[in-house]
Each structure stands twice: as structure tokens, then as C-alpha cells.
Amino acid sequence: MEQADDAVRGDAAPSSSEERITANGISDAASASSLNLSGSSASDTLGNPKLSAKPALSPQLPERMTYSVGDHLFFETSPSGPFQIRRVDDFVKNGNSVDARVFVYSRKADLPFAVQKEISGFIDGDLDDSTIVPLHQLIAERNAPSPHTQRQLLDHFISSREVFLNKDDSGPVVETLPTSLIRGKCSVLHHVVGAPKHHYTEVADTFFYHRSWYIPTDLQTGEIIVDQKKQIQYDETGTWYQAAIPRLLSAEERAQYESSCTDKATLAWIPNRIPDEDILTFIQAAIAVGLMARCVSASTIASLALREELSTVSKIAGMDCSMVAAYDLLHGNNYDLARSVSALVGEGLWSKRSLLETFDDIDMSFFRIGLHETSRDLKAIHEEWLPWRSFSDLVSFYYLFKTTSYYKAFRTSKAGAKQEKGVITCVSMAAYETRSCLIRHVPEGQVCYGCYEEADTWYAWSGLARSRRQVRALCTSCWDFWKRYGCLKRPWKSPSQSFVRKNPTPLVIPTRPPSSADLPPCFSPTAPKATISVAKQLLLTHRSPPPPQAPQVWVDEVKGWVVEKSQADEEEFQFTAGDEWRLARRVAGESQYDPKQLARYPLLACGDTEQTEGYFRSCPGLVVDFYRKSKGRKKLKMEQVISRISKRPGD
Amino acid sequence: MPNSKGAVRDDSRKTVSYFYDAAIGNFYYGIHHPMKPHRIRLTHSLILAYGLYRQMNVYRPRTASSLEMTRFHAHDYISFLKRVQADNEKFIGKVPSRNFNVGYSAEDCPAFEGLYKFCQLSTGGSISGALQLNTKMADIAINWAGGLHHAKKAEASGFCYVNDIVLAILELLKHHQRVLYVDIDVHHGDGVEEAFFTTDRVMTVSFHKYNGTFFPGTGHMNDIGVDRGKYYSVNVPLHDGIDDASYALIFEPVMEKVVQFYDPQAIVLQCGADSLAGDRLGCFNLSTVGHGKCVAYMKRFNRPLLLLGGGGYTIRNVARCWTNETAVALDAEISDSLPYSDYFEYYSPDYELHVRGSNQTNQNSPEYLEGVKHRVFENLRHLPFCPSVQFHPAPDDSYDMIDEYGIAIDTADPDIRIPKPVKDRIRESLVDILDREEGGALSCNRNRDVAPPICRNGLPVSSVRQAGGSKNVAPHLTLANGQPVAASKDPYAFD
């Protein structure tokens, strides 16, 4: 064991892993230079995907990964333990390196023992070998896997994918970790209650959560909470939240409704009244007239600079407002082209002044100064720099101003300043290659502890060892599995497997939702799945009137979707027949024991003592007769029969 | 007069009404606030530049009165909205006993300048749209300024103050027994679902991201409504990064089943554009094509359709998306390269209409979607085949008449030029009886396939519909139900 420990080439210190990154072809020792920091402005990361899809990585280094805010990431906080799952909330510059402020997700194994027991009934194997399901059991069943083992394995994989968001009084718990510990991306999905969980195990690096681990700030212990889902509010009378639904109008009322609808919107355009060519011609004419009007009386354009540039003027003449005004003119003249054209030039030259024209040079320069001073706060610009303008004009102008090259330059400079300030939205670094915990020398014939296969590369695995370090060798694939999901490819053994069966007392149908206290041991809700094969499983449904608004209960076997059940309904029951009952059921004739008949009354207790005794009382020689008939010449004693039957694993 | 289209417009085309007020773009929620009403002006600018403007009935919406708003909202809430301003929010915010979630304490819903006017305009458009669908003046009504689906009866929420959708649906319910509300915003349409949680006359279907913490936190698959409204709320929770193919995989079968089971008489579609790839707040990965397909799919059902806006926080993509969807509603083909418009520079560097999906990973596995779909279908199965009092919707007059008319035309004597059923149903338009001064037609207009506008209360009556219906038809011939006569090719055949 000592040797194995020596052979471990562990590197626990985060500093050494930082060096590893720099060794990956990046010259500068400072880790900041090994990170591509893209402190991009909002428009770059949040904007058009065509922009943001621009590869941030250079083609020479295809291995580089980009991690951005909001990603779920693996962090390696200990070389031998599994990766930690975190969600990046923010990147913070810390001297030359970059730290990540993260939200914490816990695996089940990270929680206190008591809580683990509460969740699944056992603690994830961390004491010794006996807590892992022996491999020979798995190997034996590899060729002919029983549904039970498969189920157990699936449960194991599913539970390895469940994580818990850590919370305290102030919300999610926040940690700060150096970005050099990032080991890759994963995804954490919110589990919708009722959805099949096994889908999570089908995609690599996918975890799910629907419960949170709540840590009160002043206590060491915590509790698992299910996040209260927000509900649509409603009340019986519909006064507070719901709308009052109007009555459907009768035919007469409808007629009246149609004639009395006076307050309709103003019609501004009707299509297909005149051909498209005419419209286009007219709009061109209108724009031309507008342009001419502007040239004739250039003084209407307040800005000197604008006046100089005729191209700008023509642009202004063709702006949206002119177009709309031209449409309005056509509409106003009843779609009569001749009248509309004459309206264009009739009373002086027609032009629709756009807002841009009303801003003179002083206004514009004030606006620019305001833009720089207040960093785009229109409210402040309005109050401090341009109070003589109406606020809505200012808003309108601002959005037009955004199209100018001046504004673009302004934004670029601002974005640069932002980057200098250290706002980092994503980090790009070399993909993590080197591995820790390699074992150099392995004895001949060593097989992987996880899958019992031979391998070339070995890793030292000490499990979730908390009490005793016992190092085992794992192959690459098992080691990967361990790092990502925090478990081996075979399940932890649950202590309930050593469950001792006792003679059952008759099953009594509970009149109230059962709790584990008032059930006999073999009906215990925590009864292990391991004994399913030796017992008939009963799923009990309570037919007592459900409380109002209780969730509906049904099971859809095909799709594997289970509708949300109340806590009491989630318990599983199993029915283990006693020896006497088994004997009776075997030997009693169809008249007394008819499974088909019994199946029609699923809630009727079968196998109670009275019934069994009734069988024996009605035909005293029943057992012997039966065996004489079936086994022919053999003569058996009652005790022999009983011992034979009770030896058999089941019926 | 040459006809630019060259052919008769096919009758499957819908009459589309579009509501826009130029003032809507001038409202400003505040610095750094993601909601920018300017996006509606941006959309309008593209609609103008593409020439879609002249293909539909364009309306300036009226402002909704506070009386109309209180059909759903609480009186004290609306009067609070009326009074609240940026500078008095602290004082009047304290007066009411209830927390309306507006003002300095609420980051999402600031009390910005002109807040009430903004609500009036956005609501006015939606209600007018509903009115037009009710009076059959339009088959599709579009109000991109509407769709504010988070507002509650007495509470603002998620950038929404007045729930124009609920008010529009209440208007539709006057004429329609059953109304279907569909929400493709990335956020759950909680305000609308809450308003109609206990009724079977409105079915709400929402496709949204759900993880319990994503705003607004509601929308679990098991929320299906209560009382009479049980099974009439459908929630489809989705994970991050859903792409076009996956979205269609769940949207189309669910909507098909919903329409089949519920048989709505009118449909309201909230087209929140924050489900597009690259949205500032959203996390889905839809392209504008995939988003637009949802609109096309709902249009296919041939029910009165109200298209509303909603979320959408990368404004250039919002404009692209809604322009595309306006074109979808109009059945118009528009090119992928953007025409020049006032805000052309916003669309750099590619200047293309369509937003493509990114390489974001899709966290929705086909099995997950299949499971959700299965559950939704399971709930839908509980619906009585036709809910509410009536077992069959009362047959709509106009449909009935079309049917009779069709049969009569089919069986008519081909040697008679104007069959009797056609003759019977021709009525003289008022336009031809009146003199020009009284609002009659210009004689020169008879050359064209144009019906002169005759306005009652400032609005065209049946002529609007006729103009949208067919091109080569004499203007003064209209069926009693407003359908144009399409029997003859010669416009003077009836004279």
C-alpha cells in the first residue's frame, strides 16, 4: 500500500497545475497571458450570433476551449477526488490571474451522512470494499443480466448525475476559484418532476438538479429543500387574479356591436387601390419634390454641416417619415394620382421635415458632449444638456444617431475602456491534458478495480476514503468516469441488501396513508430493491378520497414517465407470502384459491391468516392429497413439504 | 391600366390589418434597460423599406381608454398607472395599500416618462385588432407593439404594465365561443394564463424555457388550470438552446392536437422574439425562419388570427424577425438582402434579413421532447371534444352562405351567363346610388379594379374587403356577406 502511495504522482497544489497550462506552449509564465480574456462589450457577446460565432480561438491552437459566464464547468480542487461542478457567475481579475466567482453544486457524496441516508437510504460507499457491489456478482450477471441488477445499475448512474445547488439565507452559495482549475464544460439541467431521469445518463457530462442543499449560515447541518415552484394564482370568485369573461353576444347584439363600433383606429392605408408602379413613382416624385424643396429653402435645415452635403440632404428627403407622409398624401387624396401629384407642388413645394433636420449644430454638439459625460443616459442628457428639446424627440434622435460612424467610434472607445476596467465575460484556455494520480509500476496481472479489465495506464484510486486510505488501480476509462461522475461503473452496495426477512404478518389495507411505522417489516417503504426477485411487488394506490387539489396518480410504464406523486404515494410496498400461505396457495383447489378472481379486487387483502386457516380447515387432507397426486408414489410428510417449499426462492 | 401582379389575386390571401403609431418608438424605459420600444419603429422601418406597408390595411391605433383597461385590470391599478411619473413615484407609490410593482423599487418595471401613453398605444392596437377580427374587417391583425404577456390584474411584471393580450381576448370572446392563445416567447406567458386560469373559453398554450428560476418562474408542465379551466392551460417547458428542427418537432404536433381538440374560433399568437438565437435575455437558438414557421403554421388553420409582439431584446434581430413574419402573414416574398432604410447601419455587418441559429448546444434531447409531448397529449385527451355549453359551434352565417352559394353555382345552367343564385345575391353598392358629392364613386374609377372608399364613421364598409378580394371584378358588385363576385372575367358583364 505504501508503495502505491509513493507511486502516485499527485499534484494537489493549484500552482503546479497553473504551470502545466503555461507549459502547454504559452511562453509567458504569468497565467493571465495563458488566458485569452475577451472582455467584450454587451453588443459583441449578446448580439448577433453571426458576430459572436466568430472563432475566438486561433486556428493554430484548436485545443483551446472558451468558457464564458453562465457555463457549467468542472473544477479540479483535489487531484484524487472527482471534479467539482460549478456555474460561473462572474470572472474577476486577481493580479495577473483570473478568478471565477461560481455557484456551488454538491454531489450526493458531498453531503453529510445523515442527509445521504435520508435521500437514498444509504451512504455512498466510502468505508471499505464491502460498500461496493462485489464484482463477481456483476460479472456473473453480465451475460444474463437480471432486470433487477440492471435496475440497480441504472439507479446508481442516475444518482451519480443528481446534484444539489447549495444555498444559504442570501441565495446560492458563491465561491471564488482560480480559473486554472477549470477542467472542462458540463451541463446541469433543471429536472422537471415527472420527466424520465434516465435520459440524463445517456448524454456525457450531463447532470440534473431539482432539489437544493440549504445551509443555514450559523449551523453546521443543513437540509434538502425542494424549490417551491411558483404557481399561477387564482381564487374561487375570480376577483383578484382572473379576468371576468364576457358573454357571447347574440345575433342582434352583434349587429348592434358592429354598427356602434365608432372608436376604431384611424385608417392610414388601403392596399391594392392603385397599382404598385404608380405608388413607387409617386413616392419617388414625393422624395424628389422634398429634395427640391429642401434645396430651394436650405434655411429649413438647421445644421450648417448638413446643408453642405447634398447627399445627406437627399438621404433625409428619402427617410421613412417622408415615405409615410407620401403614403398619407395618396390616401388622403383618395388614391387619385393626379390630385396627389398636384398636392405635391400645389401650394409651394411639399416636404416633410424629419426630426434630424430640426437638430442644429449646437444641439448636436451638446448631445455628443452629453453622450460622453453621462455614458448614454438619455434622461441625464435631457435634463442637463438639452432641456429645451422634448424627451421623445431626444429618444428618436438618439436612435438615429446610433447609425452614424461617430457613434460607432464612441462605442468602440467605450468598449475598450470597459475591457481595461477588467470586465471579463469569457476566458479561453488550453484544453486540459495531463492527469494526476498516475501509477508508474503495477504488478503483473493487475486488473482494473472498476471493471476488472486489463489496461496500460493506471490511476490510483482511493475512493471516497475518509477513514482509511486504501489505494486501488483503475483503468483510464474508469478513472475518467470517477473524475466526472464521482463513482465507479458499479453501484455502491446499499446496506439494506443484508436485510433479513422475517415472517410476515398479514397485510392490512391502511385506511389512512401509511407511514413506515405502522407497517410490518417486510412492507417497510424502505424495503430494498434487492429483494424484489423473491417477492411479489405490490403498488398500492389509495382509494380514500384524495385531499382537494391532490396530484393525480398514474404510472405510464411504456414511456417511463411517472406523474408527480404525493409523498405518501411514492413509497413502494412488497408482499412476501408466509410459508403457510404459500403452501395453501399451492395446494388449494381452484375453488378456494383463484388468482384471476383475486386480481379483480386489488385492494382486498389476500393471504391473511384467517383465509389460510380456512383452507386447511375445509380440507384437512389437502396437502397430502395434492402431493400424492402430483408426485405419484412418493410419500411425503408435512414437514418435508414445508421445508422444501420454504427452501425455494419463490413461487 | 396594367395590373402589376398580372393575375387575379388568389382568394386564399388574407386581409391583413397592421397597427402602428409612430410615437411608440419614442418611449424609453431607461438606461441599460433591455426593453426598447424603439424596436417597433425599427420593424416598421423595414416594413416600409420592403414595401410591405402598401400591401395591407395600415391603421394608426387609437389610444385605449382607462375604462377599457379596467375590463381586466383593477381600477386602483390603472389610476395609479395614470398618475405615476418618474418624479412622483416615491410619493404615490406609498399611497396604495397594494404593491403594484412599478417604480423605483422595481427594476424591471420603472416608472418612465409617458408610461401610461405607452400602455394606451400598445393596448389600443391590440383591442382594435380584436375589433377588426370581430367585425370581419380583417383576417389577420398585427400589432407588434402589443403582446405584453406578463402584466397581472393589479401588478406590473417583466416590463409589462397593461396586459393588452387579455384585453384583446376579452374583446374576441364577445364574438367567439373559444379563443386559443399561443405564446412562443422564451418566457412563460403567465399573465394571460393567470387571467384565464379558470375558464374553458380560452385555452392558453405556452412554449417557454422552464427551470424553476428563469423568469417568471411559472409554467410547470403540471399547471393545467383549475375548475372549469382544468386542462385548458397547456405548458410546454423547454431547455436551453432549442433549434428550429426541435422546435418544429414539438410545436407542430402540439398545435395540431390542440386545434383538433379545442377547435378554436379565433387564435391569438404572441410572437415574442426573445426565443431567437443571440437574444440578450433569451437562451433559445431559433432562426427567424424557424420562428416564422410557427406563424405560418398557425395561419394555416384559417381562423381569425391576431399577431402580437412580445419580448425580444436584441433589437435588430427583433426587427428582422417581425418583418419576416409580416411578410409571412401577407404571403409576400421578400429578399434576404435588406433594402436601405433609416436604420440600415444597425444590420451590419451582413445586412441580411434572416438571423441564423448559432452553434449553441441543444439541451433538449429528442426523448425529452417526446416525453413532454406525450404528457401534453395525455392532458389534452381529458378535454371534452367540444367544450362549454354548445356541442357544436353555431355555424357562422357567412360560411353557411358560401357553401350554399357554391353548390348553387356548381349546379347552375352553364348556358346562362348570370345564374340565378348569383343574381339573387348581387346587391347594389351605396357607392353607385349616391352622387359623387354624397360619397359616390368617381366614374373614372370604374375602369380600375378599385372600389372607391365610402366611409361610415371614417372607415370603409364592405369596400375594403372587396378590394382585398379580387382584382378583375366590377367594383359595385358585392355579395351580401361582403364576398366579391368572381364569376365573370368581364368587369362590365353585369351592366
Side-chain angles (χ1 to χ4, degrees):
Chain A
M1 217 33 69
E2 290 291 308
Q3 277 177 341
D5 266 344
D6 286 345
V8 173
R9 203 178 61 201
D11 39 4
S15 58
S16 55
S17 57
E18 241 170 68
E19 281 163 24
R20 200 179 308 118
I21 296 173
T22 53
N24 268 355
I26 294 108
S27 56
D28 202 296
S31 66
S33 63
S34 73
L35 305 169
N36 262 1
L37 309 180
S38 36
S40 39
S41 63
S43 66
D44 281 344
T45 43
L46 306 166
N48 198 326
K50 290 166 212 158
L51 280 178
S52 55
K54 213 192 306 178
L57 344 157
S58 56
Q60 290 84 11
L61 289 167
E63 296 293 295
R64 291 183 80 80
M65 297 284 290
T66 306
Y67 307 111
S68 42
V69 172
D71 280 350
H72 291 95
L73 301 178
F74 284 131
F75 282 84
E76 188 172 35
T77 49
S78 109
S80 62
F83 294 140
Q84 300 293 310
I85 299 160
R86 300 285 186 265
R87 195 182 86 106
V88 181
D89 183 39
D90 205 357
F91 286 114
V92 195
K93 226 171 192 178
N94 178 17
N96 279 334
S97 65
V98 176
D99 285 350
R101 287 178 69 247
V102 289
F103 292 146
V104 182
Y105 289 97
S106 296
R107 298 170 198 267
K108 188 191 146 200
D110 302 333
L111 303 179
F113 291 162
V115 182
Q116 289 192 36
K117 262 193 168 158
E118 205 177 289
I119 294 169
S120 62
F122 61 93
I123 300 163
D124 277 0
D126 64 338
L127 296 173
D128 51 53
D129 292 354
S130 63
T131 51
I132 302 175
V133 168
L135 203 81
H136 56 78
Q137 190 183 322
L138 281 179
I139 288 176
E141 298 201 29
R142 184 175 285 167
N143 296 327
S146 72
H148 155 232
T149 336
Q150 277 188 331
R151 179 71 213 236
Q152 200 185 359
L153 208 58
L154 189 65
D155 281 351
H156 171 69
F157 287 147
I158 289 174
S159 78
S160 72
R161 302 298 182 108
E162 177 164 14
V163 291
F164 303 87
L165 179 66
N166 287 16
K167 281 189 178 171
D168 58 21
D169 288 331
S170 56
V173 176
V174 179
E175 263 183 14
T176 306
L177 292 170
T179 45
S180 53
L181 296 181
I182 295 174
R183 293 297 177 264
K185 268 188 205 181
C186 59
S187 62
V188 179
L189 298 179
H190 177 263
H191 172 69
V192 180
V193 178
K197 284 182 181 171
H198 62 90
H199 292 323
Y200 301 116
T201 64
E202 286 158 15
V203 190
D205 299 341
T206 304
F207 300 86
F208 71 93
Y209 86 95
H210 71 115
R211 290 180 285 187
S212 296
W213 169 234
Y214 176 73
I215 314 158
T217 37
D218 51 341
L219 291 172
Q220 287 304 305
T221 55
E223 56 174 327
I224 289 287
I225 48 167
V226 178
D227 286 329
Q228 278 294 317
K229 68 169 176 148
K230 271 175 93 180
Q231 291 278 10
I232 295 287
Q233 294 170 296
Y234 68 94
D235 52 347
E236 298 296 321
T237 51
T239 351
W240 295 107
Y241 306 107
Q242 271 68 47
I245 307 296
R247 197 168 42 83
L248 195 64
L249 299 183
S250 65
E252 302 89 64
E253 283 171 324
R254 276 192 205 200
Q256 203 193 348
Y257 173 89
E258 283 183 31
S259 60
S260 69
C261 271
T262 48
D263 55 349
K264 284 173 197 156
T266 324
L267 184 64
W269 182 258
I270 307 169
N272 304 309
R273 300 298 291 269
I274 57 171
D276 257 12
E277 285 90 3
D278 288 7
I279 303 173
L280 290 177
T281 318
F282 178 73
I283 287 173
Q284 290 303 321
I287 291 170
V289 169
L291 180 57
M292 205 159 81
R294 284 174 176 86
C295 293
V296 166
S297 55
S299 55
T300 58
I301 303 170
S303 160
L304 254 175
L306 281 184
R307 235 178 284 170
E308 284 163 7
E309 282 190 49
L310 202 65
S311 68
T312 325
V313 177
S314 71
K315 214 186 227 176
I316 290 169
M319 273 174 70
D320 287 352
C321 61
S322 306
M323 236 197 280
V324 173
Y327 279 124
D328 286 350
L329 206 60
L330 260 180
H331 180 76
N333 285 306
N334 217 348
Y335 299 90
D336 184 338
L337 202 59
R339 265 171 63 183
S340 308
V341 171
S342 64
L344 275 186
V345 285
E347 301 154 16
L349 292 174
W350 175 92
S351 75
K352 170 84 183 168
R353 266 164 69 98
S354 89
L355 181 84
L356 209 55
E357 293 167 76
T358 64
F359 271 71
D360 61 17
D361 290 339
I362 300 169
D363 286 350
M364 280 200 199
S365 56
F366 270 139
F367 185 82
R368 278 177 199 167
I369 297 167
L371 208 61
H372 282 279
E373 293 283 316
T374 65
S375 62
R376 297 192 294 136
D377 188 351
L378 291 192
K379 203 114 199 110
I381 295 175
H382 179 230
E383 277 160 17
E384 287 172 32
W385 302 94
L386 289 164
W388 57 87
R389 283 276 168 191
S390 81
F391 185 63
S392 60
D393 276 4
L394 205 66
V395 175
S396 191
F397 177 76
Y398 165 69
Y399 284 115
L400 279 171
F401 188 78
K402 277 180 110 167
T403 62
T404 57
S405 52
Y406 181 89
Y407 183 80
K408 229 172 246 175
F410 164 73
R411 279 310 295 270
T412 323
S413 68
K414 281 279 165 192
K418 210 175 178 184
Q419 194 164 2
E420 275 168 26
K421 256 190 241 165
V423 180
I424 304 159
T425 53
C426 67
V427 158
S428 159
M429 56 192 282
Y432 178 68
E433 284 287 340
T434 26
R435 295 163 181 280
S436 51
C437 295
L438 272 171
I439 305 176
R440 280 192 217 105
H441 304 293
V442 173
E444 201 60 29
Q446 175 79 36
V447 283
C448 168
Y449 185 66
C451 57
Y452 275 54
E453 302 279 342
E454 293 194 6
D456 301 329
T457 324
W458 297 100
Y459 297 89
W461 181 73
S462 48
L464 294 163
R466 293 194 177 97
S467 54
R468 187 155 64 91
R469 272 183 92 81
Q470 191 174 22
V471 180
R472 307 279 187 175
L474 285 188
C475 68
T476 314
S477 107
C478 281
W479 178 253
D480 250 8
F481 199 83
W482 157 252
K483 289 298 264 186
R484 286 166 198 279
Y485 308 118
C487 64
L488 291 182
K489 285 179 183 170
R490 50 188 168 128
W492 306 120
K493 200 203 292 185
S494 51
S496 43
Q497 271 172 320
S498 53
F499 184 75
V500 183
R501 265 188 296 134
K502 287 177 189 165
N503 275 341
T505 42
L507 172 60
V508 181
I509 299 296
T511 48
R512 60 192 164 85
S515 67
S516 56
D518 54 24
L519 284 172
C522 74
F523 300 125
S524 153
T526 52
K529 301 255 164 59
T531 52
I532 288 171
S533 61
V534 293
K536 190 174 165 189
Q537 203 179 9
L538 280 184
L539 189 72
L540 289 184
T541 323
H542 306 299
R543 292 291 165 91
S544 53
Q549 302 306 324
Q552 203 191 356
V553 179
W554 49 270
V555 179
D556 180 4
E557 289 285 332
V558 188
K559 296 283 173 189
W561 282 58
V562 181
V563 171
E564 190 174 16
K565 291 186 257 180
S566 67
Q567 198 61 42
D569 290 337
E570 271 172 11
E571 297 163 352
E572 279 184 358
F573 295 91
Q574 44 176 276
F575 169 59
T576 317
D579 290 339
E580 287 195 340
W581 171 246
R582 282 207 234 162
L583 183 62
R585 157 165 97 183
R586 177 157 284 230
V587 298
E590 292 268 307
S591 53
Q592 281 100 359
Y593 175 75
D594 184 0
K596 280 182 192 164
Q597 192 80 35
L598 280 173
R600 286 187 203 147
Y601 306 100
L603 294 187
L604 204 105
C606 60
D608 59 22
T609 347
E610 272 180 42
Q611 240 176 319
T612 323
E613 281 172 5
Y615 285 149
F616 290 119
R617 232 180 291 124
S618 59
C619 333
L622 193 85
V623 179
V624 186
D625 282 351
F626 173 77
Y627 269 89
R628 201 171 285 154
K629 244 186 267 168
S630 57
K631 301 286 173 181
R633 291 146 298 279
K634 263 191 189 171
K635 284 192 178 180
L636 291 169
K637 281 183 184 169
M638 181 72 166
E639 295 78 48
Q640 280 176 308
V641 175
I642 289 178
S643 70
R644 267 181 70 165
I645 289 170
S646 47
K647 245 183 242 167
R648 297 176 61 159
D651 275 331
Chain B
M1 183 61 62
N3 190 334
S4 64
K5 295 271 176 202
V8 178
R9 275 180 78 188
D10 57 344
D11 278 352
S12 72
R13 285 226 176 177
K14 312 280 187 184
T15 314
V16 178
S17 288
Y18 168 80
F19 294 85
Y20 174 76
D21 191 295
I24 200 86
N26 291 343
F27 296 99
Y28 184 70
Y29 272 63
I31 183 169
H32 302 316
H33 197 288
M35 179 61 126
K36 295 181 175 70
H38 174 63
R39 68 212 173 109
I40 297 148
R41 179 162 53 201
L42 212 56
T43 311
H44 184 75
S45 175
L46 275 186
I47 286 174
L48 263 178
Y50 267 119
L52 297 171
Y53 184 93
R54 55 177 181 271
Q55 297 179 32
M56 51 194 177
N57 292 317
V58 178
Y59 290 90
R60 312 263 147 82
R62 70 209 160 80
T63 52
S65 66
S66 62
L67 195 68
E68 279 175 302
M69 292 183 186
T70 51
R71 278 182 206 158
F72 169 56
H73 291 287
H75 285 271
D76 52 348
Y77 175 58
I78 294 298
S79 69
F80 169 77
L81 284 186
K82 234 183 202 171
R83 286 175 296 138
V84 73
Q85 270 162 30
D87 42 2
N88 67 4
E89 57 185 301
K90 278 180 191 160
F91 306 107
I92 72 162
K94 279 177 189 164
V95 178
S97 52
R98 287 200 272 170
N99 178 18
F100 296 128
N101 193 27
V102 177
Y104 66 103
S105 57
E107 263 181 39
D108 276 359
C109 304
F112 60 87
E113 197 170 318
L115 159 67
Y116 185 64
K117 178 87 178 162
F118 173 76
C119 295
Q120 279 186 310
L121 285 176
S122 109
T123 310
S126 297
I127 295 182
S128 292
L131 275 169
Q132 297 219 341
L133 296 181
N134 274 349
T135 51
K136 303 204 169 57
M137 283 169 64
D139 303 311
I140 301 177
I142 302 174
N143 178 30
W144 295 130
L148 304 175
H149 59 168
H150 292 308
K152 309 281 166 30
K153 194 163 187 169
E155 190 188 335
S157 165
F159 322 153
C160 308
Y161 301 88
V162 173
N163 201 319
D164 62 295
I165 309 176
V166 171
L167 293 166
I169 292 178
L170 288 178
E171 196 64 46
L172 285 173
L173 283 173
K174 290 182 183 167
H175 276 229
H176 302 91
Q177 179 62 39
R178 292 179 302 282
V179 176
L180 173 66
Y181 168 72
V182 185
D183 189 316
I184 55 174
D185 198 281
V186 74
H187 299 101
H188 177 228
D190 58 338
V192 185
E193 185 173 308
E194 185 172 300
F196 301 113
F197 208 54
T198 55
T199 180
D200 56 359
R201 288 190 61 197
V202 180
M203 177 175 249
T204 58
V205 184
S206 179
F207 296 80
H208 51 265
K209 177 192 160 84
Y210 178 79
N211 67 1
T213 51
F214 191 70
F215 187 86
T218 50
H220 192 279
M221 197 159 38
N222 288 353
D223 291 346
I224 51 171
V226 292
D227 294 349
R228 279 176 75 83
K230 191 164 183 182
Y231 305 115
Y232 291 96
S233 293
V234 177
N235 285 306
V236 184
L238 301 167
H239 292 312
D240 285 9
I242 192 163
D243 54 20
D244 289 358
S246 300
Y247 206 83
L249 209 65
I250 185 114
F251 183 83
E252 293 180 2
V254 166
M255 288 330 298
E256 193 192 334
K257 267 273 180 343
V258 162
V259 172
Q260 180 195 335
F261 275 92
Y262 189 61
D263 188 26
Q265 293 172 345
I267 298 174
V268 179
L269 178 60
Q270 198 262 19
C271 309
D274 43 8
S275 40
L276 289 177
D279 190 79
R280 184 169 161 189
L281 300 185
C283 49
F284 283 178
N285 193 16
L286 293 185
S287 73
T288 43
V289 178
H291 203 268
K293 265 188 189 159
C294 297
V295 178
Y297 195 82
M298 295 318 292
K299 182 171 167 258
R300 225 187 45 143
F301 292 113
N302 277 328
R303 323 262 162 139
L305 180 64
L306 181 58
L307 290 181
L308 301 174
Y313 307 102
T314 302
I315 59 171
R316 55 180 180 279
N317 290 353
V318 177
R320 285 167 159 136
C321 175
W322 289 346
T323 305
N324 177 46
E325 274 153 27
T326 311
V328 167
L330 283 164
D331 277 329
E333 296 272 323
I334 54 175
S335 73
D336 193 23
S337 66
L338 290 170
Y340 188 81
S341 63
D342 278 8
Y343 305 98
F344 190 61
E345 285 78 8
Y346 278 45
Y347 307 103
S348 76
D350 52 11
Y351 305 105
E352 282 173 357
L353 175 68
H354 288 296
V355 179
R356 273 94 180 145
S358 69
N359 55 0
Q360 195 186 350
T361 40
N362 182 2
Q363 298 188 344
N364 300 271
S365 62
E367 294 83 17
Y368 173 77
L369 295 175
E370 190 59 36
V372 171
K373 199 167 79 185
H374 179 74
R375 282 287 302 282
V376 169
F377 285 1
E378 214 37 68
N379 286 338
L380 285 177
R381 274 222 317 251
H382 289 91
L383 293 182
F385 207 70
C386 241
S388 215
V389 261
Q390 291 159 309
F391 245 84
H392 290 289
D396 201 317
D397 277 3
S398 54
Y399 284 129
D400 206 16
M401 284 163 82
I402 287 166
D403 218 33
E404 268 180 33
Y405 175 74
I407 294 165
I409 289 288
D410 287 345
T411 54
D413 186 355
D415 290 330
I416 296 170
R417 193 164 205 186
I418 309 173
K420 191 164 180 303
V422 176
K423 211 179 240 172
D424 283 349
R425 293 157 71 91
I426 291 170
R427 67 168 158 77
E428 289 274 324
S429 167
L430 213 55
V431 171
D432 291 301
I433 299 167
L434 299 177
D435 285 334
R436 218 186 120 191
E437 285 74 22
E438 294 168 316
L442 280 172
S443 55
C444 64
N445 269 357
R446 294 199 174 191
N447 290 345
R448 302 200 190 119
D449 51 349
V450 168
I454 162 147
C455 298
R456 187 170 57 187
N457 309 322
L459 278 160
V461 196
S462 56
S463 51
V464 179
R465 213 185 150 77
Q466 181 194 355
S470 172
K471 280 225 158 184
N472 286 355
V473 164
H476 54 296
L477 296 174
T478 326
L479 296 181
N481 63 350
Q483 285 290 317
V485 179
S488 168
K489 283 183 181 168
D490 183 357
Y492 296 105
F494 300 107
D495 282 350

